[in-house]
C-alpha cells in the first residue's frame, strides 16, 4: 500500500520528490513513482498513515492524499482468502414409479 498525492503531477525537469510535514512535525518524502505516475510514500505503520491524512485540509489546504493498492494476482488472492469449493446439493430421494393396482 502506498499513499499518493492527488493533483500533483510531474512535469519534465521538475522536482523528483515532495517533502510533506505531518501534524507530528515528522517529514515524509514522497518520491515520484514512474509505474503509478504519482508522488508516493510507503508508510511503515498505521501511526504514519494517520499523521499524513490529518495534515490534509489543515497544514496543506490544497494538497490531498489517497491510497494506492497494488493489483493482486490470482495466486495472491487465493492464498489470502481461499474459498471452499461448493459441494453439490444433496438430492432428496425420489420414489420409484408407483405401480398401478
Amino acid at each position: 500500500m502506498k499513499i499518493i498525492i492527488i493533483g500533483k503531477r510531474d512535469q519534465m525537469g521538475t522536482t523528483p520528490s515532495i517533502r510533506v510535514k505531518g501534524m507530528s512535525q515528522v517529514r515524509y518524502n514522497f518520491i515520484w513513482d514512474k509505474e503509478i505516475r504519482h508522488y508516493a510514500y510507503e508508510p511503515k505503520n498505521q501511526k504514519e498513515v494517520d499523521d499524513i491524512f490529518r495534515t490534509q485540509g489543515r497544514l496543506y489546504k490544497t494538497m490531498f492524499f489517497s491510497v494506492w493498492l497494488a493489483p493482486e494476482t490470482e495466486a495472491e488472492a487465493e492464498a489470502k482468502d481461499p474459498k471452499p469449493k461448493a459441494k453439490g446439493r444433496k438430492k432428496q430421494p425420489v420414489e420409484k414409479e408407483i405401480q398401478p393396482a
Side-chain angles (χ1 to χ4, degrees):
M1 176 185 82
K2 293 181 180 181
I3 297 176
I4 61 171
I5 299 176
I6 303 275
K8 295 283 184 181
R9 289 291 186 164
D10 186 40
Q11 295 175 357
M12 212 179 268
T14 61
T15 317
S17 66
I18 296 175
R19 294 196 66 147
V20 174
K21 184 169 52 172
M23 294 297 284
S24 64
Q25 304 303 315
V26 175
R27 296 186 186 271
Y28 303 101
N29 195 18
F30 283 75
I31 299 172
W32 179 253
D33 191 336
K34 290 181 182 179
E35 183 182 326
I36 61 177
R37 301 186 64 195
H38 282 88
Y39 288 97
Y41 174 77
E42 192 154 359
K44 295 171 188 67
N45 55 32
Q46 185 64 38
K47 188 175 180 179
E48 287 185 351
V49 174
D50 294 339
D51 191 33
I52 291 169
F53 277 98
R54 267 189 263 136
T55 62
Q56 167 173 286
R58 293 182 181 166
L59 293 178
Y60 302 100
K61 300 286 184 189
T62 59
M63 193 176 295
F64 299 98
F65 303 99
S66 184
V67 175
W68 179 271
L69 299 174
E72 291 182 344
T73 61
E74 289 181 24
E76 289 175 346
E78 287 179 10
K80 188 177 181 181
D81 187 27
K83 294 181 182 176
K85 293 187 177 185
K87 296 180 181 177
R89 291 180 55 191
K90 291 185 178 179
K91 297 179 180 176
Q92 294 184 353
V94 179
E95 292 186 32
K96 295 187 179 184
E97 294 181 29
I98 300 175
Q99 300 293 330

